[in-house]
Amino acid sequence: MQELKKTWKPHPTAILNPRLDINFKAIFTQDTEGSKIALKSFLSATLGRKVTEVQLDPNEPPAETQSDMQMSFDVNVTFEDGEKASIEMQGREQDYDYAARSEVEAARLLNNAAKKGCEWNVEKVYQISVLNFHYKRGDKSEMSWYIMKDANGCELSSRLNVIYIDLLTIKALVGTPVEKLTPLQKWGMYFSYADDEKKADYIGQIANSERGIMEATTIIKRMSEEDAAFFREFSRDKAMRDYNAGMSAAAKKGLEQGMQQGLKQGLQQGLRQKAVETATNLLKMNILSPEQIAQAAGLTLEEVLELQKGIGAGATA
């Protein structure tokens, strides 16, 4: 009997998930004209201006390197006018201050752009994050663009820009006629549904309307022919799920311990309050000695004497 070969690809027509950072990055960093077209199209849609030329900056090992399963890297680029951008995909919400992370990354870009001896003539930098979650729970904006301003809304220099693209908001528009979608919405739809076979026709229409998305589709389909690519996707996803499960278990254990500790403390406080009430009533009856009351109520003699002083002070007042 012929031994069946192990395959990681779920089915013959399966497409890799572009919301996974390793796949997202690979779309834009291939050494091909199609990858460059896709990158310029995405940047044009994000920044609201036509990007005619962009150069990839060295940042990390190639996307196909298998050793990066636990690592996340950005796509770093320089525009023809000297401006720089760092692009990343965040497929899952993380338990840390994402805003601070973005500011640090943008500041790193700005610092690298500030050439020595060139005074303060620094080009703008953009930290662009594609988020598969709402950065702010109540904010459903498709894109949020942050720059430095004072309390009156006066901009500082607009050199440092942080941009969030919200896929959850954009994907809710699914089914909207393609001709009514903005370029940014088209890219958001592509990232959200490229690996969903039920939306294949719709994504095909979007790709046919935008050259950059068509090139991205070609790239990820070609990547999806490699079984090892699904192994990398599975390994990265498994590692993330294991991490999230561990964090969830730790949080649950901490909550249970906290509840048990709180219950214990509450019981102790309740018993003490009852003991104080009993001792107070017995003192007011003036039948037993402080020593006997302490024994009956389960308090120390010093505590009973303090209560007695308080009762006496109240009577005098």
Side-chain angles (χ1 to χ4, degrees):
M1 178 182 291
Q2 184 177 4
E3 183 179 354
L4 294 177
K5 183 181 178 182
K6 171 68 175 178
T7 177
W8 294 94
K9 193 170 183 176
H11 51 83
T13 58
I15 298 296
L16 292 167
N17 178 2
R19 296 174 303 286
L20 200 62
D21 57 359
I22 188 173
N23 298 331
F24 174 84
K25 176 185 179 295
I27 291 173
F28 297 118
T29 57
Q30 304 289 323
D31 188 20
T32 64
E33 184 62 25
S35 187
K36 294 177 183 177
I37 291 172
L39 179 58
K40 288 186 288 186
S41 170
F42 173 69
L43 287 170
S44 296
T46 300
L47 301 179
R49 71 172 197 257
K50 188 172 181 60
V51 175
T52 57
E53 192 59 45
V54 66
Q55 174 184 332
L56 284 171
D57 295 335
N59 187 35
E60 57 173 304
E64 63 270 21
T65 301
Q66 294 190 21
S67 60
D68 73 347
M69 292 174 187
Q70 305 298 323
M71 304 174 72
S72 176
F73 297 97
D74 301 345
V75 178
N76 284 353
V77 300
T78 300
F79 299 92
E80 60 182 352
D81 59 2
E83 294 182 350
K84 292 181 178 293
S86 178
I87 314 163
E88 65 177 335
M89 167 67 73
Q90 286 292 327
R92 293 184 177 89
E93 188 170 7
Q94 302 293 324
D95 187 21
Y96 54 71
D97 190 342
Y98 196 79
R101 179 184 185 279
S102 299
E103 287 182 321
V104 170
E105 288 298 307
R108 176 183 62 81
L109 273 178
L110 192 62
N111 183 61
N112 292 341
K115 299 178 182 179
K116 295 181 179 179
C118 293
E119 299 181 350
W120 298 112
N121 185 24
V122 184
E123 304 298 337
K124 293 181 179 180
V125 299
Y126 307 87
Q127 172 63 28
I128 303 171
S129 296
V130 183
L131 307 179
N132 198 32
F133 56 88
H134 297 308
Y135 165 59
K136 293 182 179 179
R137 299 296 181 185
D139 187 1
K140 305 299 175 62
S141 303
E142 294 177 0
M143 184 171 73
S144 299
W145 191 318
Y146 300 93
I147 57 177
M148 296 181 69
K149 295 182 178 181
D150 66 11
N152 298 316
C154 180
E155 297 180 12
L156 193 56
S157 73
S158 298
R159 293 293 189 274
L160 193 151
N161 298 265
V162 173
I163 301 172
Y164 293 153
I165 300 171
D166 189 326
L167 290 187
L168 294 188
T169 295
I170 295 176
K171 71 184 296 185
L173 299 173
V174 64
T176 301
V178 174
E179 63 272 13
K180 293 186 177 181
L181 295 173
T182 66
L184 181 65
Q185 290 169 346
K186 290 179 181 180
W187 272 104
M189 287 295 179
Y190 173 74
F191 291 135
S192 299
Y193 295 111
D195 57 330
D196 186 344
E197 285 200 272
K198 296 179 180 179
K199 303 293 190 299
D201 290 342
Y202 187 58
I203 295 303
Q205 295 175 36
I206 290 175
N208 287 330
S209 72
E210 171 55 51
R211 173 78 185 281
I213 297 178
M214 176 62 77
E215 296 294 345
T217 299
T218 301
I219 291 169
I220 206 161
K221 281 184 176 180
R222 184 173 63 246
M223 291 167 52
S224 299
E225 294 174 358
E226 182 187 359
D227 191 61
F230 285 92
F231 171 74
R232 291 192 292 270
E233 179 174 287
F234 172 79
S235 299
R236 179 68 70 89
D237 186 67
K238 180 177 180 294
M240 184 60 69
R241 288 177 185 272
D242 287 345
Y243 170 79
N244 289 337
M247 293 296 292
S248 178
K252 182 179 179 181
K253 184 177 180 181
L255 179 61
E256 290 175 348
Q257 291 176 341
M259 291 177 65
Q260 291 174 358
Q261 184 67 21
L263 181 62
K264 182 179 179 181
Q265 291 177 349
L267 181 60
Q268 291 175 341
Q269 291 175 357
L271 291 173
R272 174 169 175 77
Q273 183 62 32
K274 186 64 178 177
V276 170
E277 292 175 0
T278 300
T280 300
N281 291 333
L282 290 173
L283 285 168
K284 290 179 179 179
M285 292 172 65
N286 198 24
I287 297 176
L288 301 177
S289 67
E291 290 81 359
Q292 292 172 319
I293 293 175
Q295 186 176 6
L299 299 175
T300 65
L301 178 58
E302 289 75 12
E303 289 173 326
V304 172
L305 292 176
E306 283 297 320
L307 290 173
Q308 189 177 46
K309 289 180 182 178
I311 293 173
T316 301

